[in-house]
Amino acid sequence: MKRDSGRYRRDSMIRSLKGKGIRDARVLAAMQRIPRHIFVPGTLKSQAYSEHALPIGAEQTISQPYIVARTTEWLQVGSQDSVLEIGTGSGYHTSVLALLARRVFSLERIPELARGAIDRIREMGFDNVKIQIFDGTFGWSDVGPFDRILVTAGAPKTPKPLLDQLKVGGRLVLPEGDRDRQKLILYERTPEALIRTEGESVAFVPLIGRHGW
Ligand code: SAM
């Protein structure tokens, strides 16, 4: 019988994520299910499950597995949540979110990436994902507010429209800082306040747009 090498490489990726401190069983199970090699260009497929970011075209990258796991874990996505993702890229992280949430809305500014992601999401059979080509720094007010918001590109400061579209009880995770180095930031909106927590150092591609770079 032919061995499912994708399955084998996913198992090894999950072991490595656990070793790096990822504990959320739902996040690990979602990443175990999504075939990451589908989201990586042909020549790089053999590296799809290794612990680094990879180019996906248009000078953009698919984030390394640890960063996908860490940001998703911090977001604490519930099964009834409506999630906004800024920066669809390959659609890999979108697919992980689609397994965890009720609805996922994802914005990508580069048309060729958005189109590729739409094809892959269709191929995966998800019917709870909507992707649009748009400057995500404006958010998506027509379908908001959201329980969870994830930004997968580095912002100079948190775009105000995104904070405005975060529900009470909501959580927003984004990288914020310089063009080449940022800190992961978590915002939690309570009935009384907006709580900001700083996390680890990261290096994302820049968030380009009206409320970004
Ligand atoms: N999460 C993606 C994946 O799984 O492949 C990788 C995202 S990549 C690190 C960041 C993405 O954010 C890029 O595709 C980039 O084009 C996109 N981006 C940057 N600024 C944006 C903006 N203002 N609105 C929407 N997308 C943006």
Side-chain angles (χ1 to χ4, degrees):
M1 201 169 78
K2 195 167 165 246
R3 196 177 69 176
D4 175 0
S5 69
R7 173 74 200 261
Y8 173 76
R9 289 186 291 155
R10 284 203 294 283
D11 287 348
S12 141
M13 177 185 79
I14 298 299
R15 276 197 299 279
S16 153
L17 291 173
K18 285 181 180 166
K20 290 179 194 305
I22 302 298
R23 293 280 170 267
D24 188 320
R26 289 184 75 232
V27 172
L28 290 166
M31 291 183 68
Q32 167 72 60
R33 275 182 61 190
I34 303 294
R36 188 171 154 93
H37 56 277
I38 289 180
F39 298 86
V40 165
T43 52
L44 298 170
K45 286 200 189 297
S46 64
Q47 298 175 52
Y49 296 90
S50 54
E51 217 19 270
H52 41 249
L54 293 168
I56 54 172
E59 296 177 15
Q60 304 303 318
T61 54
I62 176 173
S63 301
Q64 67 197 77
Y66 171 75
I67 290 293
V68 174
R70 178 72 187 107
T71 50
T72 313
E73 190 173 64
W74 223 15
L75 211 54
Q76 293 181 4
V77 181
S79 58
Q80 292 309 306
D81 284 348
S82 175
V83 179
L84 174 67
E85 179 194 41
I86 310 302
T88 320
S90 68
Y92 172 71
H93 208 155
T94 320
S95 305
V96 172
L97 295 170
L99 284 179
L100 297 170
R102 182 172 55 89
R103 297 297 316 262
V104 180
F105 299 93
S106 187
L107 292 170
E108 171 56 57
R109 60 180 282 273
I110 300 178
E112 68 189 83
L113 293 181
R115 286 191 205 105
I118 288 167
D119 288 348
R120 285 180 212 106
I121 294 284
R122 195 173 293 134
E123 192 185 325
M124 296 284 302
F126 287 116
D127 60 3
N128 61 341
V129 176
K130 267 211 161 67
I131 297 173
Q132 268 197 4
I133 303 162
F134 198 65
D135 173 2
T137 67
F138 287 102
W140 197 336
S141 56
D142 291 356
V143 290
F146 304 95
D147 301 291
R148 300 290 183 262
I149 300 178
L150 173 67
V151 182
T152 69
K157 58 180 175 34
T158 308
K160 185 172 180 302
L162 299 185
L163 289 173
D164 292 344
Q165 291 171 34
L166 186 64
K167 283 185 190 172
V168 171
R171 294 167 76 88
L172 183 162
V173 171
L174 89 164
E176 193 188 280
D178 298 337
R179 249 188 123 92
D180 49 0
R181 202 77 210 162
Q182 310 89 29
K183 280 242 158 85
L184 276 184
I185 308 289
L186 166 69
Y187 287 95
E188 296 165 272
R189 187 180 288 293
T190 72
E192 301 81 27
L194 188 63
I195 302 162
R196 185 182 192 275
T197 308
E198 270 193 21
E200 62 214 77
S201 288
V202 287
F204 279 80
V205 294
L207 181 74
I208 312 273
R210 174 70 179 79
H211 301 276
W213 288 101

